[in-house]
């Protein structure tokens, strides 16, 4: 206990001295792509300082640039960052998806080549999973990879490739053997996006942004040294990465800070009565939401503490993904009910920047129950693998 108390004191002092004012509160968080320019100097400085300590990936091994923290130290770091409202220094598929997967299943060469740039925020990644005819039934994918000795030639199409227009690398599922059952002929490959034969077309969403893309391959190359796991055995790797992804997506649903901000917003729009939200019904809804946030956050923390080396739990990741995304959707529905018509504007002087951001975030939240596996898919996984129910 004394050791963790000392770590907390040292961490608190370091954060107080090294977290710039501009890296606290809402703002842009680097995603790791060299194609996205972060203009704010405080955000850049924060990323640099945290990367130097390995705290962009706190629990990853120091040998690959990570922080080497224990689970207990990691929890302290997150608590102290939340205490001062410090933003995450880096986020994206590098830290949340492909990085953990490579640390667990990659070769030593793959780890040393790919992990340090992820930690430093130098390279961005995108996910080449879904296809127009392979969504929830992902194993029906048709993008094919032809063996050409030391590399594969890839032809086909992916869709919903988030951030593909900014990514430097893609991790993709490709069919390397069409003559075996569909789950057995898939390989998991890494390929560069800036090469001939890769074309990206952004998809405009109802939120007004284009985070999703179509990606087309016309004799694109993937080196065989960038196959993760065995050729034709990529489905196992793919499933493990999905568990990391679902835990990451699920994390958007927890956090008492977000609930506290809802309380402040409610007081602004509905007024205060002796320091409380003036409207009784809204006050009860905010309290209930805050309790659910707190319970969910504690459940995720307990699961991490119980898991081996803080890795994503197995089927329980589906529980986090399901509940976390549904909780996030409820958060924005609650915000809309509080802000009223001010939360459904698109532009114009009658709406503040925060109101316009809320409108777009509410629209974006609708995708939470679809991306990373639909809520229905998550419930099926829980029914089969956790509860043991029959098909």
């Amino acid at each position: 206990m004394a050791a963790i108390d000392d770590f907390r004191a040292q961490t608190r002092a370091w954060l107080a001295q090294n977290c710039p004012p501009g890296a606290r509160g809402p703002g842009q968080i680097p995603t790791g792509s060299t194609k996205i320019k972060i203009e704010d100097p405080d955000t850049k400085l924060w990323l640099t300082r945290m990367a130097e300590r390995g705290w962009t990936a706190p629990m990853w091994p120091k040998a690959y640039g990570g922080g080497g923290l224990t689970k207990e130290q990691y929890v302290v770091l997150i608590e102290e960052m939340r205490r001062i409202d410090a933003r995450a220094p880096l986020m994206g598929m590098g830290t949340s998806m492909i990085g953990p997967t490579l640390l667990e299943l990659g070769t030593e060469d793959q780890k040393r080549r790919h992990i340090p740039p992820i930690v430093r925020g130098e390279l961005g990644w995108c996910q080449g999973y879904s296809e127009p005819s392979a969504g929830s039934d992902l194993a029906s994918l048709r993008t094919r990879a032809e063996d050409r000795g030391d590399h594969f030639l890839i032809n086909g199409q992916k869709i919903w490739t988030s951030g593909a227009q900014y990514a430097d690398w893609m991790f993709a599922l490709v069919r390397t053997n069409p003559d075996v059952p569909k789950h057995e002929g898939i390989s998991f490959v890494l390929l560069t996006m800036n090469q001939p034969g890769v074309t990206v077309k952004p998809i405009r969403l109802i939120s007004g942004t284009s985070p999703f893309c179509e990606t087309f391959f016309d004799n694109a190359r993937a080196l065989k040294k960038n196959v993760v796991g065995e050729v034709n055995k990529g489905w196992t790797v793919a499933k493990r990465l999905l568990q990391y992804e679902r835990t990451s997506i699920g994390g958007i649903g927890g956090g008492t800070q977000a609930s506290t901000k809802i309380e402040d917003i409610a007081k602004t729009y509905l007024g205060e009565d002796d320091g409380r939200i003036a409207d009784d019904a809204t006050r009860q809804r905010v309290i209930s939401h805050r309790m659910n946030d707190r319970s969910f956050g504690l459940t995720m923390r307990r699961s991490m503490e119980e898991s081996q080396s803080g890795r994503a739990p197995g089927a329980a990741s589906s529980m986090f993904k399901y509940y976390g995304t549904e909780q996030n959707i409820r958060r924005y529905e609650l915000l809309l009910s509080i802000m009223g018509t001010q939360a459904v504007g698109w532009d114009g002087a009658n709406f503040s920047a925060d109101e316009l951001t809320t409108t777009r975030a509410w629209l974006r939240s609708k995708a939470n129950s679809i991306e990373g596996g639909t809520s229905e898919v998550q419930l099926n996984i829980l029914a089969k693998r956790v509860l043991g129910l029959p098909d």
Side-chain angles (χ1 to χ4, degrees):
M1 182 63 70
I4 202 66
D5 289 341
D6 288 343
F7 178 79
R8 182 181 296 277
Q10 294 167 7
T11 299
R12 180 173 297 186
W14 188 89
L15 290 174
Q17 182 177 358
N18 289 279
C19 183
R24 306 186 189 200
Q28 186 178 6
I29 300 175
T31 61
S33 175
T34 57
K35 299 176 185 177
I36 298 178
K37 303 300 182 183
I38 303 298
E39 302 297 338
D40 177 57
D42 279 1
T43 299
K44 291 182 179 178
L45 180 60
W46 181 229
L47 172 59
T48 299
R49 288 176 173 174
M50 289 289 275
E52 287 174 350
R53 294 182 70 89
W55 284 2
T56 51
M59 294 181 64
W60 292 7
K62 287 187 176 182
Y64 308 114
L69 300 187
T70 64
K71 288 181 288 187
E72 293 78 8
Q73 290 172 330
Y74 171 72
V75 169
V76 168
L77 173 61
I78 297 303
E79 290 175 346
E80 291 302 315
M81 288 178 61
R82 288 176 177 170
R83 189 182 62 83
I84 63 173
D85 203 19
R87 293 196 299 273
L90 180 68
M91 64 184 302
M93 297 184 189
T95 54
S96 66
M97 297 166 65
I98 187 61
T101 303
L102 288 178
L103 285 172
E104 183 176 353
L105 301 173
T107 64
E108 184 63 22
D109 176 65
Q110 290 169 348
K111 294 174 187 177
R112 295 199 176 277
R113 282 190 293 118
H114 296 293
I115 297 299
I118 291 175
V119 174
R120 295 191 297 265
E122 295 174 349
L123 297 175
W125 290 78
C126 64
Q127 179 183 34
Y129 271 32
S130 296
E131 298 183 7
S133 58
S136 295
D137 184 14
L138 182 59
S140 294
L141 62 92
R142 298 178 181 176
T143 295
R144 64 188 185 279
E146 181 183 349
D147 193 333
R148 290 298 183 90
D150 65 344
H151 67 278
F152 291 105
L153 283 184
I154 300 175
N155 289 276
Q157 178 186 359
K158 297 292 181 179
I159 198 166
W160 312 124
T161 43
S162 300
Q165 71 270 52
Y166 306 118
D168 305 288
W169 283 78
M170 173 187 282
F171 51 92
L173 296 180
V174 295
R175 187 159 301 285
T176 43
N177 187 346
D179 300 322
V180 296
K182 60 184 181 180
H183 291 87
E184 298 176 13
I186 294 172
S187 296
F188 189 109
V189 300
L190 314 177
L191 67 148
T192 58
M193 296 294 286
N194 183 25
Q195 64 164 298
V198 177
T199 302
V200 176
K201 296 182 178 180
I203 301 171
R204 189 171 178 82
L205 305 184
I206 60 172
S207 63
T209 59
S210 301
F212 297 143
C213 301
E214 295 177 283
T215 305
F216 300 87
F217 304 106
D218 182 11
N219 285 337
R221 288 165 54 99
L223 298 177
K224 281 190 175 178
K225 69 178 182 179
N226 285 326
V227 173
V228 182
E230 298 180 41
V231 174
N232 294 325
K233 301 295 183 181
W235 189 248
T236 298
V237 182
K239 290 191 296 181
R240 188 56 176 154
L241 183 139
L242 282 174
Q243 291 177 338
Y244 286 113
E245 177 186 19
R246 289 162 181 168
T247 300
S248 175
I249 295 175
I252 65 176
T256 55
Q257 279 189 322
S259 296
T260 302
K261 291 176 181 177
I262 291 178
E263 182 179 332
D264 294 338
I265 291 170
K267 290 177 181 179
T268 299
Y269 283 84
L270 303 177
E272 292 186 54
D273 182 7
D274 195 23
R276 303 184 302 172
I277 300 170
D279 182 74
D280 289 346
T282 301
R283 186 166 65 246
Q284 291 299 319
R285 290 182 65 191
V286 171
I287 291 172
S288 176
H289 188 85
R290 190 168 184 175
M291 291 171 63
N292 289 337
D293 261 2
R294 178 63 173 165
S295 298
F296 182 54
L298 289 172
T299 300
M300 290 195 71
R301 174 175 173 174
R302 186 185 74 243
S303 179
M304 186 196 72
E305 291 174 346
E306 292 174 350
S307 67
Q308 180 182 5
S309 302
R311 289 177 176 170
S317 61
S318 291
M319 178 186 71
F320 296 144
K321 199 278 179 179
Y322 172 77
Y323 191 86
T325 56
E326 297 297 323
Q327 179 73 348
N328 194 53
I329 291 171
R330 287 191 291 267
R331 173 179 296 118
Y332 283 104
E333 294 290 345
L334 177 56
L335 279 173
L336 253 67
S337 70
I338 291 171
M339 299 169 70
T341 56
Q342 290 303 116
V344 290
W346 194 249
D347 56 30
N350 293 329
F351 302 97
S352 69
D354 287 343
E355 289 167 349
L356 295 177
T357 297
T358 298
T359 303
R360 286 159 173 76
W362 166 64
L363 291 169
R364 177 62 181 84
S365 72
K366 302 303 179 183
N368 295 159
S369 61
I370 301 172
E371 58 197 348
T374 66
S375 289
E376 291 76 12
V377 167
Q378 307 314 313
L379 291 174
N380 282 340
I381 291 173
L382 292 170
K384 295 177 182 179
R385 301 183 187 174
V386 177
L387 300 179
L389 300 177
D391 294 341

